[in-house]
Amino acid sequence: MQVISLEFDSETDMQEATRKLWDEMKVTGEMQIKPTGISRWRVDLNSEKDLRESTLEKLPGRRVNLGKAEAEVSVAVATPISDA
């Protein structure tokens, strides 16, 4: 499995990239698409298929490296606060 994040400056570029991933490259897995600002988009892809770097470079947009906090699922543990 491969985790990839891409950012786009327009919705059109994002739609073109997602179409290429699903229809042309036949990528399977999970894809999350979300707006990140005015006319900016981010696609987080958990691909079941490993994609070569040269393949990713052909897509519009730019690859984003996830920080450790974003890449890992964190579990928050609540601790009681005493009234002392």
Side-chain angles (χ1 to χ4, degrees):
M1 182 170 275
Q2 186 176 21
V3 178
I4 303 160
S5 290
L6 300 166
E7 284 192 351
F8 303 90
D9 292 327
S10 72
E11 186 175 2
T12 304
D13 286 346
M14 178 271 301
Q15 290 173 343
E16 178 185 344
T18 55
R19 183 191 57 75
K20 283 183 178 182
L21 287 165
W22 288 127
D23 297 338
E24 293 177 19
M25 297 178 192
K26 304 295 185 202
V27 171
T28 58
E30 297 177 4
M31 184 181 297
Q32 180 182 23
I33 301 169
K34 55 188 170 187
T36 59
I38 298 173
S39 74
R40 292 186 53 119
W41 295 85
R42 181 168 175 172
V43 174
D44 295 324
L45 173 66
N46 293 320
S47 174
E48 294 173 348
K49 177 181 180 180
D50 287 334
L51 301 170
R52 287 179 269 165
E53 194 64 36
S54 61
T55 302
L56 294 172
E57 289 172 359
K58 293 177 185 177
L59 296 172
R62 65 191 160 280
R63 193 159 178 193
V64 178
N65 290 328
L66 295 176
K68 188 174 181 179
E70 291 180 275
E72 296 178 358
V73 176
S74 62
V75 177
V77 178
T79 55
I81 299 174
S82 64
D83 291 329

